[in-house]
């Protein structure tokens, strides 16, 4: 008579826990085309110069293509100029560096052209009076959240708020000594922007939360303006202990 009792399966070894992702393991972004809306303004022009000098393909956008082409020629490094719509269509990553007063109107007009794009909003809603700069709070909470509301088919992040246009444009300065606070909803999108920031010598991209935290990051520029006026400086920020 044989024993029909089924054999007991050997115990399964527990799965080893997955190693945590290194937050500094960022993607290769060297092949991405970077568009800069508002690329003829001081901030946009400075960002375009820095990315192009680092080897990135850059297109600057303006309401007038001829104006963008003229500024692109001044920047050099292979930078191209186009109207805003063409700049948006041809770019993989689009930096929004337009004045706050024209922010909503510009993005509304480019909603279709920016569909599917990674959008990086660096606009700071500020007011000025005899006491200096002060932060404005948009109805949506921040410029970045306004961009996300206006561009439902785009992937919106926020970064590059605290950079001095004077330093960015100064071709005699080899490195920009600053951190860039990057906010967004998807880790992969944030890491692309962090990696782009890291393409500029001296610059480092640091994750700083989701878009709901963008208001205080945008507002900090008012404090930096006060610092710069008092100390005759072009101050940026550094995040310690990381």
């Amino acid at each position: 008579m044989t024993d029909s009792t089924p054999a007991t399966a050997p115990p399964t070894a527990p799965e080893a826990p997955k190693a945590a992702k290194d937050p500094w393991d960022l993607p290769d972004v060297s092949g991405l085309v970077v568009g800069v809306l508002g690329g003829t303004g001081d901030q946009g022009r400075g960002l375009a110069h820095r990315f192009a000098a680092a080897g990135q393909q850059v297109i600057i956008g303006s309401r007038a293509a001829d104006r963008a082409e003229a500024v692109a020629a001044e920047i050099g490094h292979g930078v191209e100029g186009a109207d805003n719509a063409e700049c948006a269509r041809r770019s993989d990553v689009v930096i929004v560096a337009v004045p706050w007063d024209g922010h909503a109107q510009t993005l509304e007009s480019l909603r279709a052209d920016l569909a599917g794009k990674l959008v990086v909003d660096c606009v700071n809603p500020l007011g000025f009076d005899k006491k200096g700069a002060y932060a404005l709070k948009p109805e949506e909470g921040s410029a970045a959240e306004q961009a996300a509301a206006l561009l439902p088919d785009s992937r919106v992040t926020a970064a590059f708020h605290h950079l001095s246009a004077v330093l960015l444009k100064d071709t005699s300065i080899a490195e920009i000594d600053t951190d860039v606070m990057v906010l967004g909803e998807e880790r992969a999108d944030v890491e692309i922007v962090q990696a782009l920031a890291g393409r500029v010598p001296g610059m480092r991209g640091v994750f700083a939360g989701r878009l709901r935290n963008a208001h205080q990051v945008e507002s900090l520029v008012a404090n930096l303006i006060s610092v710069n006026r008092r100390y005759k400086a072009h101050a940026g920020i550094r995040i310690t202990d990381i």
Side-chain angles (χ1 to χ4, degrees), residues 205-226:
V206 177
F207 171 64
R210 294 180 179 269
L211 289 186
R212 68 181 183 179
N213 293 321
H215 171 65
Q216 54 264 38
V217 173
E218 296 168 2
S219 300
L220 184 59
V221 175
N223 302 89
L224 289 176
I225 290 172
S226 297

Side-chain angles (χ1 to χ4, degrees), residues 40 63 123 162 191 231:
T40 59
R63 288 176 294 179
V123 175
H162 307 133
E191 289 182 345
Y231 297 101

Side-chain angles (χ1 to χ4, degrees), residues 66-80:
D66 57 349
R67 170 66 174 153
E69 290 164 0
V71 172
E74 293 172 8
I75 296 171
H77 298 291
V79 174
E80 298 180 61

Side-chain angles (χ1 to χ4, degrees), residues 30-204:
S30 59
L32 297 180
V33 178
V34 176
V36 184
L37 302 179
T40 59
D42 289 339
Q43 194 79 2
R45 185 189 300 224
L47 287 167
H49 161 66
R50 291 294 164 177
F51 286 123
Q56 214 73 36
Q57 183 179 347
V58 176
I59 304 170
I60 61 173
S62 175
R63 288 176 294 179
D66 57 349
R67 170 66 174 153
E69 290 164 0
V71 172
E74 293 172 8
I75 296 171
H77 298 291
V79 174
E80 298 180 61
D83 64 40
N84 282 330
E86 182 180 350
C87 173
R89 288 193 297 268
R90 292 178 54 198
S91 302
D92 301 305
V93 179
V94 181
I95 298 173
V96 181
V98 301
W100 167 242
D101 289 347
H103 183 261
Q105 183 179 3
T106 299
L107 295 185
E108 282 178 332
S109 69
L110 297 172
R111 181 176 296 158
D113 302 298
L114 290 169
K117 306 291 183 176
L118 175 54
V119 174
V120 187
D121 201 297
C122 69
V123 175
N124 301 304
L126 297 176
F128 296 86
D129 59 21
K130 62 182 180 181
K131 294 183 179 180
Y134 59 95
L136 303 175
K137 188 161 188 178
E139 181 180 346
E140 298 85 354
S142 63
E145 288 170 295
Q146 182 182 87
L150 293 171
L151 304 173
D153 298 319
S154 302
R155 296 138 52 209
V156 176
T157 60
F160 305 117
H161 301 89
H162 307 133
L163 307 181
S164 164
V166 173
L167 299 184
L168 289 173
K169 293 193 304 176
D170 190 337
T171 57
S172 70
I173 296 175
E175 296 188 2
I176 304 295
D177 179 23
T178 192
D179 284 333
V180 173
M181 300 177 75
V182 185
L183 303 97
E185 299 303 316
E186 298 296 334
R187 181 166 184 162
D189 294 337
V190 169
E191 289 182 345
I192 288 172
V193 181
Q194 287 181 263
L196 279 173
R199 296 273 289 163
V200 178
M203 198 178 289
R204 181 178 66 161

